[in-house]
Amino acid sequence: MYDGIVQDLIDELGRLPGVGPKSAQRIAFHIIQTESFDVDRLATILQTVRERVRFCIICGNIGEEERCAICRDPRRVPTAICVVEEAKDVVAIERTREYRGLYHVLGGALNPMQGIGPDQLRVAQLMTRLQDPTVEEVIIATDPNVEGEATATYLIRSLLPLGVRVSRLASGLPVGGDLEFADEMTLGRAFEGRRTVER
Amino acid sequence: MYDGIVQDLIDELGRLPGVGPKSAQRIAFHIIQTESFDVDRLATILQTVRERVRFCIICGNIGEEERCAICRDPRRVPTAICVVEEAKDVVAIERTREYRGLYHVLGGALNPMQGIGPDQLRVAQLMTRLQDPTVEEVIIATDPNVEGEATATYLIRSLLPLGVRVSRLASGLPVGGDLEFADEMTLGRAFEGRRTVER
């Protein structure tokens, strides 16, 4: 419906998650019509992000160096590892200020239907980290939905034989949702009330 | 909460209309984590859009040349001008295939609270176009909300003394919404049933 480049922009914006054709059109028009919108800045940031952002070689979190800001921070408590699905879950937990340990980002959840098994997640890397006797507790903080629960169950079965303390966030998280959308209070309390999984 | 460039991307995406902080974060993570997402392509398109897109010197529609694709098209009926608020309304009407005349894009609607009067819209340019006796009918297709109605009333008062036929889209458009969100059927019928404004 539009002349070339405008349609290209709408198509490209429509590829972003949660952006339907109408939103893509609205965003495109905003960019075109708002003189003060700095397209060069957005373009540069997009390219810089791809160049600079790296996944931490230890925990899989995102950052701009070989090791992420949390793994580099000597004030973090190295005896606990909190296992999450995505890097954005790290941010959600950090916001609660309830937790001072380290993280492990799986990169998703088990989903056999989509061909995502343990080998597609950073499970082996977690096992390697647990060979360090410094780690006393693994806190499982996967999303409280079907895939997250399946992932938690799988991890519990794999971790308990290692003799490490395994805990899960307290229920209190609204079931069926994504961890990242929980408010800070709910998430903070879920952290406080985490329970140890009995062998 | 994030290391530099990731936060920059989230902030910049959050400036787009309809993109809140959570959506901005989700889009940013998608861009970072989806290897196949072509950031260079999006970056290039953003910059090309700003360089290439122009407003038609005749009707104010967007395009890549001095005159838009509709104003350049010799098959369009030059006796009718349909007045809309935004270029995206042109696209919505084109989709109905009910209309073969020309357009005039005002660039918004009257909104005294925001300091938008007739001089901030392309009203004078419309008056100039009407000096051409070819134009027999002006169809007012502003949004069916408060600002759109006020704009329609203002235009009717300005246009009727010129002796041109003035019509409005039939009611049938859902009131209180934006024209661009009407489905094609509703919009097409509103076009068919447009009524002439009596002097």
Side-chain angles (χ1 to χ4, degrees):
Chain A
M1 291 306 293
Y2 291 96
D3 273 6
I5 190 75
V6 178
Q7 191 60 52
D8 289 348
L9 179 58
I10 293 171
D11 290 346
E12 208 60 25
L13 291 169
R15 280 185 229 282
L16 300 173
V19 180
K22 288 280 183 191
S23 311
Q25 183 184 300
R26 195 187 333 161
I27 294 171
F29 272 86
H30 176 85
I31 292 170
I32 291 165
Q33 294 177 336
T34 312
E35 276 296 320
S36 61
F37 188 86
D38 193 341
V39 285
D40 291 328
R41 181 170 157 77
L42 179 52
T44 307
I45 288 173
L46 280 164
Q47 289 168 314
T48 312
V49 152
R50 182 50 56 88
E51 281 162 27
R52 269 206 223 147
V53 172
R54 309 168 59 160
F55 296 96
C56 173
I57 56 162
I58 296 172
C59 76
N61 189 16
I62 57 168
E64 295 182 35
E65 299 186 32
E66 193 172 52
R67 297 194 300 149
C68 74
I70 292 170
C71 285
R72 287 199 314 270
D73 185 348
R75 292 162 305 175
R76 304 296 301 210
V77 178
T79 55
I81 293 179
C82 177
V83 180
V84 294
E85 295 180 18
E86 306 284 355
K88 55 194 167 189
D89 299 326
V90 171
V91 176
I93 291 168
E94 286 297 286
R95 259 191 228 117
T96 72
R97 300 176 181 276
E98 285 284 338
Y99 181 65
R100 298 296 303 158
L102 301 174
Y103 288 94
H104 194 81
V105 180
L106 293 172
L110 292 179
N111 192 332
M113 300 288 283
Q114 292 185 14
I116 301 175
D119 293 345
Q120 279 67 51
L121 304 176
R122 301 183 71 258
V123 172
Q125 290 90 329
L126 175 61
M127 297 304 169
T128 306
R129 290 180 73 183
L130 295 179
Q131 289 170 4
D132 181 345
T134 315
V135 184
E136 294 166 9
E137 180 180 7
V138 176
I139 303 162
I140 299 177
T142 51
D143 283 343
N145 55 26
V146 176
E147 293 79 17
E149 290 296 319
T151 309
T153 306
Y154 173 85
L155 288 174
I156 289 166
R157 249 184 243 143
S158 311
L159 295 172
L160 283 182
L162 305 180
V164 70
R165 181 181 166 205
V166 180
S167 62
R168 299 188 57 181
L169 296 196
S171 65
L173 291 179
V175 172
D178 284 345
L179 189 144
E180 58 170 305
F181 297 121
D183 63 271
E184 291 156 38
M185 193 71 106
T186 309
L187 195 52
R189 281 194 191 143
F191 237 84
E192 270 175 18
R194 68 183 183 269
R195 57 198 166 74
T196 301
V197 176
E198 301 299 327
R199 301 195 73 159
Chain B
M1 292 307 292
Y2 292 98
D3 274 5
I5 191 75
V6 178
Q7 191 60 52
D8 289 348
L9 178 59
I10 293 171
D11 290 346
E12 208 58 25
L13 291 168
R15 281 184 228 281
L16 300 173
V19 180
K22 288 281 183 193
S23 310
Q25 183 183 301
R26 195 189 329 161
I27 294 173
F29 272 84
H30 176 86
I31 291 172
I32 291 164
Q33 294 177 336
T34 312
E35 276 298 319
S36 61
F37 187 87
D38 192 341
V39 285
D40 291 328
R41 182 171 156 75
L42 178 52
T44 306
I45 288 174
L46 280 166
Q47 290 168 314
T48 312
V49 152
R50 182 49 58 89
E51 282 161 26
R52 267 204 224 149
V53 171
R54 311 167 58 162
F55 296 95
C56 173
I57 55 161
I58 296 173
C59 76
N61 190 16
I62 57 168
E64 295 182 36
E65 299 186 33
E66 193 172 52
R67 297 194 301 148
C68 75
I70 292 171
C71 285
R72 287 199 314 269
D73 185 347
R75 292 163 305 175
R76 304 296 302 211
V77 178
T79 54
I81 293 179
C82 178
V83 180
V84 295
E85 294 179 19
E86 305 283 356
K88 55 194 168 190
D89 299 326
V90 171
V91 176
I93 291 169
E94 286 297 286
R95 260 193 227 115
T96 72
R97 300 177 183 275
E98 284 283 340
Y99 181 65
R100 297 296 302 156
L102 302 173
Y103 289 94
H104 193 81
V105 180
L106 292 172
L110 292 180
N111 192 332
M113 300 288 283
Q114 293 186 12
I116 300 175
D119 292 346
Q120 278 69 51
L121 304 176
R122 300 183 72 258
V123 172
Q125 290 90 330
L126 175 61
M127 295 305 166
T128 306
R129 290 179 75 184
L130 295 179
Q131 287 170 3
D132 181 345
T134 315
V135 184
E136 293 167 10
E137 181 180 6
V138 175
I139 302 162
I140 299 176
T142 50
D143 283 344
N145 54 25
V146 177
E147 293 80 17
E149 290 295 319
T151 309
T153 305
Y154 173 85
L155 289 175
I156 288 167
R157 249 185 244 145
S158 311
L159 296 172
L160 283 183
L162 305 180
V164 70
R165 182 181 166 203
V166 180
S167 62
R168 299 188 57 179
L169 296 194
S171 65
L173 292 179
V175 172
D178 284 345
L179 189 146
E180 57 170 307
F181 296 121
D183 63 271
E184 293 157 39
M185 194 69 106
T186 308
L187 196 51
R189 280 194 192 144
F191 236 85
E192 272 175 16
R194 69 184 182 269
R195 57 196 165 76
T196 302
V197 177
E198 300 301 328
R199 305 195 69 160

